[in-house]
Amino acid sequence: MKLLSSLLCLAMVVSASRPMCDPVEVSDNSWIYVKEMHLGCWTSFVGQDKAEVHILKLNFAATDAKMFSLEMTDARPMNLIITSQDTAYGLYKINAGVSIYKSNTSTLGFHINEHHNNVHAVVFPGEDEELVRWATRKFGGVTSFTTVENLKMLLFRPVEGTKGGSRECMLQSEDSSEKHFMKIETAPLTSSFKSCSPPPEPEKQRVRGPPAADEDATPELHIINIPEDGNIRNLSVRVDTKKSSVFLRGPRGTTWTFLNPQHTKFCSNNEIVLPAMAHRIQPLFELSSDRAEDVQTKALDYFKADAFTSYTEMRPEGSQLLLVLGRDSPAVTETVSEAVPPTTAAPHQMPLLMQLYTAPDYRSPLDLNTKVQCDKKIYAEISGHTLGDIVLTIKVMSCVVRSKGSCPVVQELRFIPEFCSSNSCPNSTRLSFSLDQLQELSSATWDLECSVKMCYSEKCGDGGRVKRNLEVTQPCQQTLNTPCFDFGLPAILGIAFGGFLIGVLLIGALWLIKIKTGYPTGLDMASSLSSGCPCSGAKQQPMSSNPSASENSSANASIGSTQSTPTSSMA
């Protein structure tokens, strides 16, 4: 009995030492905010007239004032199509490069500050997909389609509104705040929040901020709980904190879709979807109770943590919502140093990093500013952040090198996968390649880029691309180099004078032959040609060996007139 009492007392002491908190109603959560997601698209299309094509679909609640403004005085040239099924009134400020198209049956009220001729009432369909097809037929494509609920103000910024990738508008749920070319202000979404954070221990109290340079960042633990009476069942999650563990709890049937896997770990009693990998993670534990104390205890036990950073209960309203974790948290702002090239992966894909080495033991990282000889073998390791508690495999599909300069050259780089056990290479892969493929190319500065896939079990998804700059020296080309000759004006004049001198010497040689022999072959041929065919067998008249002075004079004239033909024959 004493033993049982002691164990019970010990359990109570341990439980009391773990920090808990009671959530209270708050109008604004300092860690989390929620926004509704709607259908839209964002493409790379630009018309032949250099104008972008944007479609704006406006929806208003019955209780909304239904008054808004559009600021487009500094916008780039565009064709803006506005559609709405509601009666609303808008103030439009546009420039001469903006043309507005509305339905001829629209109940939207317009007040334009100027350029009234740029507003056109036309016939177009009201259904979303049909409207996209109509705009594609009329303008050649669609740059963006954006759905906005309860619009108050929309500002088009004077920046390019395109996005790299496809030119085809495929409507899907999106976060419109990612569209940097516009700023949208809407009526706040009605959501009920209860939140709290446990008080820190006295010796650990300090101003929240980034860790010191010599201090390891401690993972933050955030707990999110949707009570059993919550209506929402589908939430998209974006984690903007640098290093966090996320504990998610919701009613049966709730689905959490992670848009970016930049956090460290996550878990849930519901299904988790990773769209970047087209993979689903089944519930990792069971928890039917939605009591704050039970949820907090389960989170601490699961992550084997001594404390948590925040606890949030939420009852959001809406069909499909985006939950953003990391709001107003200066400690989690991630700064990427210029020394570490960022990944070229899409925003929803895993961040990747490529590190180069000079030896197969992978112990001596290659500095970014170090130049590598073209006859050396290079070893590379590509790694990514952890996706929750699952272990991913990175598979390299292809690598290319791209020269830097005004006329870049792209060449495929052959590589060899290097073996590495899962214990030594968690969430990473290794490969090697030789730079002798670059010997015949003149550039010394390259971008090395590899395309990868992320695999879990037998399922793989696009992992994006990872890029790294590469400085190469070219000692192998020195034996192949030949001197360059400068054919300037002095060289050209020298060649001309040399040719003239050779001609004079040849003429002098012919004259000497004539004087010594008295019967130059060239003149004989010339005589034969003038008297008829030399091959006819007719006898030729003998010439005197001592010609007279008049004959010499005649011969001199003959040499001057026919010199070019015998000279070329003799030569």
Side-chain angles (χ1 to χ4, degrees):
M1 189 66 181
K2 273 187 176 182
L3 179 60
L4 181 60
S5 299
S6 299
L7 292 176
L8 183 59
C9 182
L10 179 61
M12 292 177 63
V13 171
V14 172
S15 177
S17 65
R18 304 180 76 175
M20 300 289 182
C21 66
D22 295 323
V24 295
E25 197 83 28
V26 293
S27 59
D28 189 22
N29 191 301
S30 61
W31 286 102
I32 295 172
Y33 74 93
V34 178
K35 61 186 304 182
E36 196 161 5
M37 297 183 70
H38 299 285
L39 285 180
C41 73
W42 190 8
T43 75
S44 61
F45 173 77
V46 178
Q48 294 183 353
D49 57 353
K50 306 302 181 182
E52 300 167 0
V53 179
H54 299 281
I55 300 177
L56 188 62
K57 180 180 180 180
L58 304 180
N59 295 329
F60 296 91
T63 57
D64 191 79
K66 302 180 183 180
M67 297 184 65
F68 62 94
S69 64
L70 258 62
E71 300 283 344
M72 295 178 286
T73 53
D74 296 329
R76 292 166 61 92
M78 73 171 69
N79 295 303
L80 178 63
I81 304 166
I82 302 178
T83 177
S84 178
Q85 300 296 327
D86 300 292
T87 300
Y89 184 80
L91 173 63
Y92 296 78
K93 296 180 181 179
I94 65 176
N95 60 41
V98 176
S99 295
I100 296 178
Y101 294 83
K102 71 165 189 173
S103 172
N104 61 345
T105 60
S106 174
T107 55
L108 287 175
F110 286 85
H111 178 74
I112 309 293
N113 60 335
E114 55 183 333
H115 306 295
H116 297 273
N117 295 332
N118 290 14
V119 180
H120 312 279
V122 296
V123 178
F124 57 70
E127 196 270 330
D128 296 343
E129 296 283 355
E130 290 294 332
L131 181 58
V132 170
R133 284 191 281 268
W134 175 86
T136 302
R137 289 193 301 269
K138 182 174 180 60
F139 301 107
V142 173
T143 309
S144 77
F145 184 108
T146 307
T147 304
V148 183
E149 297 283 337
N150 304 323
L151 176 65
K152 297 303 177 187
M153 192 275 291
L154 190 148
L155 169 68
F156 276 90
R157 296 187 172 102
V159 296
E160 186 174 346
T162 59
K163 178 184 180 181
S166 174
R167 290 168 54 92
E168 185 177 358
C169 175
M170 302 295 294
L171 295 180
Q172 57 186 350
S173 295
E174 66 171 9
D175 177 12
S176 58
S177 64
E178 293 182 356
K179 295 178 176 177
H180 61 269
F181 60 92
M182 62 170 62
K183 178 183 178 182
I184 304 174
E185 292 183 6
T186 62
L189 182 67
T190 302
S191 296
S192 174
F193 283 102
K194 283 187 177 182
S195 181
C196 66
S197 295
E201 298 178 16
E203 65 272 13
K204 294 184 179 180
Q205 288 184 0
R206 63 182 177 91
V207 179
R208 196 173 84 194
D214 57 347
E215 180 185 358
D216 293 333
T218 303
E220 298 172 345
L221 173 56
H222 297 278
I223 306 171
I224 301 173
N225 178 23
I226 298 180
E228 288 296 311
D229 58 354
N231 295 324
I232 186 66
R233 289 293 184 272
N234 294 285
L235 291 99
S236 297
V237 182
R238 190 178 78 223
V239 181
D240 291 342
T241 57
K242 184 176 182 179
K243 192 174 184 181
S244 296
S245 298
V246 185
F247 184 93
L248 304 169
R249 188 266 164 207
R252 183 182 298 273
T254 303
T255 300
W256 307 85
T257 301
F258 276 87
L259 300 182
N260 66 330
Q262 295 179 2
H263 43 277
T264 307
K265 294 182 179 180
F266 57 82
C267 67
S268 177
N269 68 318
N270 310 120
E271 186 179 58
I272 294 176
V273 178
L274 304 176
M277 298 176 55
H279 182 68
R280 293 176 178 267
I281 301 175
Q282 298 305 312
L284 300 175
F285 60 88
E286 292 185 3
L287 182 59
S288 58
S289 173
D290 60 0
R291 293 178 61 248
E293 183 179 357
D294 295 338
V295 176
Q296 294 172 19
T297 301
K298 184 68 175 180
L300 293 173
D301 291 341
Y302 185 88
F303 286 109
K304 299 179 176 59
D306 297 327
F308 58 89
T309 307
S310 71
Y311 171 83
T312 302
E313 286 182 9
M314 51 186 295
R315 291 179 173 85
E317 298 178 3
S319 58
Q320 189 168 358
L321 302 182
L322 171 66
L323 185 152
V324 182
L325 176 63
R327 183 186 185 190
D328 300 331
S329 178
V332 299
T333 301
E334 183 173 2
T335 303
V336 180
S337 171
E338 292 184 1
V340 181
T343 178
T344 56
H348 297 342
Q349 291 171 334
M350 173 182 287
L352 299 170
L353 178 67
M354 179 188 297
Q355 180 62 58
L356 302 182
Y357 299 84
T358 56
D361 57 4
Y362 289 86
R363 294 181 179 178
S364 303
L366 187 65
D367 187 78
L368 288 174
N369 299 321
T370 303
K371 293 187 176 181
V372 184
Q373 292 186 355
C374 64
D375 56 350
K376 298 295 183 181
K377 189 173 183 179
I378 299 299
Y379 299 85
E381 183 174 46
I382 300 176
S383 58
H385 289 269
T386 304
L387 271 177
D389 290 335
I390 63 175
V391 177
L392 296 178
T393 302
I394 300 177
K395 184 178 180 181
V396 181
M397 305 306 297
S398 63
C399 291
V400 297
V401 286
R402 182 178 290 103
S403 64
K404 295 183 178 180
S406 57
C407 299
V409 177
V410 180
Q411 178 171 320
E412 185 176 356
L413 187 66
R414 298 184 297 273
F415 64 89
I416 300 174
E418 298 289 333
F419 173 77
C420 186
S421 64
S422 58
N423 294 331
S424 302
C425 300
N427 299 296
S428 64
T429 188
R430 291 176 176 178
L431 61 148
S432 62
F433 51 87
S434 175
L435 299 179
D436 56 2
Q437 306 170 50
L438 308 180
Q439 292 184 21
E440 300 178 358
L441 304 177
S442 60
S443 177
T445 306
W446 300 83
D447 280 331
L448 170 62
E449 184 177 273
C450 294
S451 299
V452 305
K453 283 190 175 183
M454 311 301 300
C455 301
Y456 176 72
S457 185
E458 299 298 327
K459 297 182 179 181
C460 296
D462 182 21
R465 298 182 299 274
V466 59
K467 184 163 51 175
R468 162 74 187 253
N469 69 301
L470 190 63
E471 297 285 339
V472 180
T473 59
Q474 301 281 10
C476 310
Q477 286 189 347
Q478 294 179 359
T479 57
L480 302 178
N481 292 338
T482 55
C484 298
F485 297 97
D486 183 13
F487 289 96
L489 182 60
I492 295 175
L493 294 177
I495 293 173
F497 178 75
F500 171 75
L501 186 61
I502 292 174
V504 171
L505 292 176
L506 287 175
I507 293 175
L510 290 175
W511 180 254
L512 183 63
I513 291 173
K514 171 187 176 298
I515 293 176
K516 293 295 184 180
T517 63
Y519 190 77
T521 305
L523 292 178
D524 178 63
M525 291 175 63
S527 301
S528 299
L529 290 173
S530 62
S531 60
C533 178
C535 303
S536 60
K539 293 183 179 180
Q540 298 182 4
Q541 297 295 328
M543 294 182 63
S544 173
S545 60
N546 296 316
S548 64
S550 60
E551 288 175 338
N552 288 339
S553 175
S554 175
N556 291 341
S558 176
I559 290 174
S561 60
T562 62
Q563 187 64 47
S564 60
T565 301
T567 301
S568 60
S569 300
M570 292 181 64

